[in-house]
Amino acid sequence: MADVLVVGELKNGELKKISKELTSAARKIADAIGGKVHTLIITDNVDAFAGDLKAVGADAVIGANLGEFSPEGYANGIFAVIQEKKPAVVLMPHSAQGKEYSARVAIKANAGIVADAVALSVDGGKVVAKKPIYSGKAYANFKVSSDIQMFTVRANSQEVTPKDGAGAVEKSGASVGEVRTKSLSKDLSGGNKVQLADASIIVSGGRGIKGPENWPIIQDLADTLGAALGASRATVDAGWISHSHQVGQTGKTVSPNCYIACGISGAIQHLAGMGSSKYIVAINKDGDAPIFKVATYGVVADLFEVVPALTSEFKKVLG
Amino acid sequence: MKIVVLVKQVPDTETNIKVGDKSINEAGVKWIISPYDEFAIEEGIRIREKSGGEVIAISLGPDRVVEALRTAYAMGVDRAVHVKVDDYVTFDSTYTSELLANFIKAENADVIIGGRQSIDTDSSQVVVQIAERLNVPHVAMALKLEFDGNKVTATREIEGGTEVVETSAPLAVTAQKGLNEPRYPSLKGIMSAKKKPVDVKKPDELGATGSKLEVVSLEPPPPRIAGRKLEAADAQGFASQLVKALREEAKVI
Ligand SMILES: Cc1cc2nc3c(=O)[nH]c(=O)nc-3n(C[C@H](O)[C@H](O)[C@H](O)COP(=O)(O)OP(=O)(O)OC[C@H]3O[C@@H](n4cnc5c(N)ncnc54)[C@H](O)[C@@H]3O)c2cc1C
């Protein structure tokens, strides 16, 4: 059988959108190569997610109770499910967690892996994965030649298409096995806001905001849109905001549907992190700033006037 | 302690990339050490400065990567190893991790450090794959590392914050920005680095089983949705046009 296994992800007990994106992508692959879609969710409460995943193509929704995240424990548990289901293709999120366990899973399964794929298609029974390389200055297409083909996939890169799968619910007995790294404590003080990696809208500020006291102007717009807050390196280096907000080559790579860059010049290292955003809005008073080369909508104006006006306009229409 | 740092040579971000059929055209490319690997080199040297031992820098690729190893020497590593692979497919993480892990296994290293990702392929795979191959724990996205004998306490970046973890050597670590400030090679270091030996290893000596990846094709980036500059008399005008464009045309908000 040429089955596809998806590893989904939860956040605060809720299904992340990437879980549906990957299940939808898996459905298309499974239909092309003739197999079933299994979506694995790490939870002791799989029933809660079965309906949502069936609706986007899961034939089986598997729950594995692996407890708190640990990269080794998840890798052991996921590998146990792979051994049981023997999929031809495994799709994992290129999330903070996915990056870590996927590397171990690939070695355990003796599989080749393409990480950070943004498009998946099928050619001659094999998956072709496309990924940006060299900071988005080129794209490459790969096939994996091992028996199991593994991919990690960038959030927001796959369409969610309704299509019913069989939707059977299964509970896996997979266990975490030996874990040699112990978590002592976590600081999630930045944790309740929308995270950059998953955000479908990002509002970012650059040196054009002039100083840290002006973040509220950008944050207001982000909050109004339910967006994540991004930043250029110049603002991070100046100490205006923590590095966890930095977008770019030495920050986070993001692919939202909409990226609103306020007072950001658009240096190549910044573009490396956000250049694959679907729609880009640039608000910059310098009409020659490089950001306008990639912007879908360019606004040549003072951000201190335009951003608040935009926030209040959105507040009106979004209620 | 025996520390191995992984040093990947990548095109400088500002370099123009010319896409060939299955690889890039390397003519005119300026090569640098992948920025996160600089944090790895620095951390390796700092661990040695505190705990003693030696730091081995290892780079995999064609002859040009020796330049990256010379820079590592100039920063202060003790030994340099070049895994010479001429037809190297830079995207192939499992082949890369197999060759490197086989070398490191023979060395019995206590600590293996690489960058959190290399900036040409952004895969975040090789270091953790090596940890799995060597059957040792790992700490990804490290912001702080402390050794007390074999006991290791680390602070690392996780989604939405940081985490403090405890583990033990031997282990693998990926370096995140913030772990340290990489030192600049001194002039003296650069001069003496030129004369230092670079140990060359061939894939067949390291016994790897080979590639599991096929490069189908390379292509230029997809064309962007055509952009336009909005025209308006004032901020209010820009705001209402943008809202309209994003809601009715792009339909993203
Ligand atoms: C190895 C390396 C890695 C790097 N990694 C990253 C990275 O990950 N992310 C990153 O962002 N950068 C990165 N950089 C830095 C990058 O090269 C730029 O320096 C940085 O992106 C510039 O940030 P900026 O656009 O905020 O600032 P600037 O380039 O100073 O641009 C500020 C912009 O604001 C505009 N502006 C000013 N006032 C206003 C106003 N009132 N209204 C509207 N517009 C206004 C200006 O016209 C200008 O275009 C890296 C650099 C190196 C060398």
Side-chain angles (χ1 to χ4, degrees):
Chain A
M1 267 314 251
D3 287 357
V4 184
L5 175 72
V6 168
V7 183
E9 203 166 303
L10 301 179
K11 167 102 189 269
N12 300 331
E14 288 184 29
L15 202 59
K16 274 196 181 183
K17 184 163 160 269
I18 182 90
S19 309
K20 291 195 212 172
E21 293 174 23
L22 294 189
T23 303
S24 231
R27 182 75 263 164
K28 285 176 206 133
I29 295 169
D31 288 346
I33 63 177
K36 285 196 194 129
V37 174
H38 309 268
T39 298
L40 169 66
I41 302 287
I42 314 292
T43 178
D44 57 0
N45 180 25
V46 61
D47 301 278
F49 312 106
D52 279 351
L53 293 166
K54 171 185 161 71
V56 291
D59 293 315
V61 182
I62 309 165
N65 186 7
L66 304 176
E68 281 275 293
F69 174 68
S70 79
E72 279 185 90
Y74 271 34
N76 292 337
I78 292 164
F79 180 57
V81 174
I82 289 174
Q83 281 178 307
E84 196 186 315
K85 299 290 172 191
K86 302 195 169 44
V89 176
V90 180
L91 305 183
M92 294 167 276
H94 195 69
S95 58
Q97 297 184 353
K99 284 178 205 175
E100 273 192 73
Y101 62 69
S102 62
R104 285 189 181 268
V105 170
I107 299 308
K108 286 180 196 292
N110 197 21
I113 183 163
V114 178
D116 199 19
V118 296
L120 301 163
S121 55
V122 174
D123 172 52
K126 285 266 184 184
V127 174
V128 181
K130 190 191 289 292
K131 72 173 263 168
I133 51 174
Y134 303 107
S135 309
K137 283 185 276 188
Y139 277 59
N141 296 299
F142 299 104
K143 281 184 185 175
V144 175
S145 51
S146 51
D147 290 343
I148 304 184
Q149 307 158 59
M150 290 200 179
F151 307 90
T152 70
V153 182
R154 192 182 285 190
N156 292 321
S157 69
Q158 308 298 310
E159 300 275 346
V160 176
T161 341
K163 180 163 189 193
D164 260 355
V169 177
E170 292 172 27
K171 285 176 187 150
S172 159
S175 64
V176 292
E178 190 197 3
V179 174
R180 295 161 293 188
T181 303
K182 195 167 102 199
S183 177
L184 298 182
S185 64
K186 280 184 190 156
D187 174 1
L188 294 173
S189 43
N192 282 330
K193 294 269 181 190
V194 187
Q195 294 300 313
L196 278 176
D198 311 316
S200 59
I201 307 172
I202 293 171
V203 183
S204 261
R207 185 143 47 195
I209 71 162
K210 300 286 191 289
E213 66 283 4
N214 294 321
W215 278 118
I217 298 173
I218 308 296
Q219 183 77 60
D220 268 0
L221 178 57
D223 289 346
T224 306
L225 300 177
L229 181 68
S232 73
R233 170 160 162 185
T235 65
V236 173
D237 284 356
W240 299 353
I241 195 165
S242 84
H243 177 252
S244 61
H245 291 274
Q246 184 178 319
V247 171
Q249 179 157 78
T250 43
K252 297 207 162 59
T253 306
V254 296
S255 278
N257 285 328
C258 181
Y259 189 90
I260 304 180
C262 311
I264 293 180
S265 60
I268 188 137
Q269 295 89 353
H270 191 78
L271 300 184
M274 48 62 80
S276 68
S277 305
K278 199 154 172 209
Y279 287 86
I280 296 171
V281 176
I283 302 169
N284 193 310
K285 63 181 185 188
D286 172 10
D288 293 326
I291 190 80
F292 289 117
K293 292 205 189 93
V294 298
T296 335
Y297 303 113
V299 173
V300 182
D302 189 336
L303 75 90
F304 291 100
E305 292 170 17
V306 172
V307 176
L310 195 56
T311 307
S312 67
E313 191 70 18
F314 269 122
K315 276 191 176 140
K316 265 189 251 160
V317 298
L318 298 173
Chain B
M1 282 229 233
K2 194 183 262 189
I3 304 141
V4 173
V5 295
L6 310 178
V7 180
K8 188 176 186 188
Q9 198 187 37
V10 299
D12 184 64
T13 322
E14 319 255 354
T15 292
N16 253 323
I17 294 290
K18 285 184 233 78
V19 174
D21 185 23
K22 303 232 161 148
S23 59
I24 58 163
N25 179 351
E26 292 196 357
V29 169
K30 187 183 163 218
W31 298 92
I32 57 166
I33 292 177
S34 188
Y36 295 106
D37 293 354
E38 293 186 353
F39 300 118
I41 300 172
E42 177 65 34
E43 197 63 18
I45 296 168
R46 288 190 190 192
I47 297 169
R48 182 202 59 203
E49 284 169 350
K50 264 199 182 151
S51 322
E54 69 166 338
V55 184
I56 307 170
I58 180 164
S59 190
L60 187 146
D63 284 331
R64 58 172 158 72
V65 308
V66 171
E67 242 176 86
L69 290 170
R70 299 255 174 245
T71 307
Y73 259 141
M75 285 174 76
V77 306
D78 304 290
R79 268 167 67 194
V81 177
H82 173 199
V83 179
K84 187 167 152 37
V85 190
D86 292 318
D87 53 352
Y88 170 50
V89 179
T90 172
F91 314 105
D92 197 344
S93 60
T94 57
Y95 184 49
T96 304
S97 72
E98 191 176 16
L99 289 168
L100 295 176
N102 288 358
F103 171 80
I104 296 164
K105 206 180 286 168
E107 288 283 341
N108 263 323
D110 300 293
V111 189
I112 301 120
I113 317 181
R116 75 155 214 229
Q117 70 194 73
S118 61
I119 64 157
D120 53 351
T121 56
D122 293 324
S123 292
S124 305
Q125 287 283 323
V126 169
V127 183
V128 181
Q129 286 186 10
I130 289 174
E132 179 65 30
R133 289 183 186 282
L134 299 177
N135 192 21
V136 300
H138 77 266
V139 174
M141 306 280 278
L143 296 167
K144 197 172 165 197
L145 268 186
E146 274 169 88
F147 287 83
D148 176 5
N150 274 350
K151 202 179 108 194
V152 181
T153 311
T155 306
R156 68 187 211 103
E157 187 177 312
I158 56 170
E159 202 183 280
T162 57
E163 179 182 28
V164 180
V165 295
E166 188 182 275
T167 187
S168 61
L171 87 165
V173 177
T174 80
Q176 165 66 322
K177 185 183 173 189
L179 180 61
N180 54 47
E181 235 4 282
R183 67 194 69 190
Y184 287 104
S186 65
L187 191 60
K188 194 167 143 255
I190 294 170
M191 295 314 289
S192 66
K194 288 186 181 154
K195 291 181 229 107
K196 295 208 165 137
V198 172
D199 191 8
V200 179
K201 295 274 176 212
K202 300 264 179 56
D204 47 5
E205 293 171 64
L206 294 170
T209 51
S211 174
K212 292 192 170 64
L213 209 65
E214 184 195 330
V215 183
V216 178
S217 58
L218 257 54
E219 56 192 61
R224 288 207 60 85
I225 302 166
R228 67 166 199 270
K229 282 188 182 147
L230 305 180
E231 300 286 343
D234 56 13
Q236 191 48 51
F238 279 124
S240 48
Q241 271 199 55
L242 251 184
V243 170
K244 200 159 172 246
L246 291 171
R247 286 173 59 80
E248 289 165 26
E249 205 175 86
K251 299 194 168 68
V252 284
I253 293 174

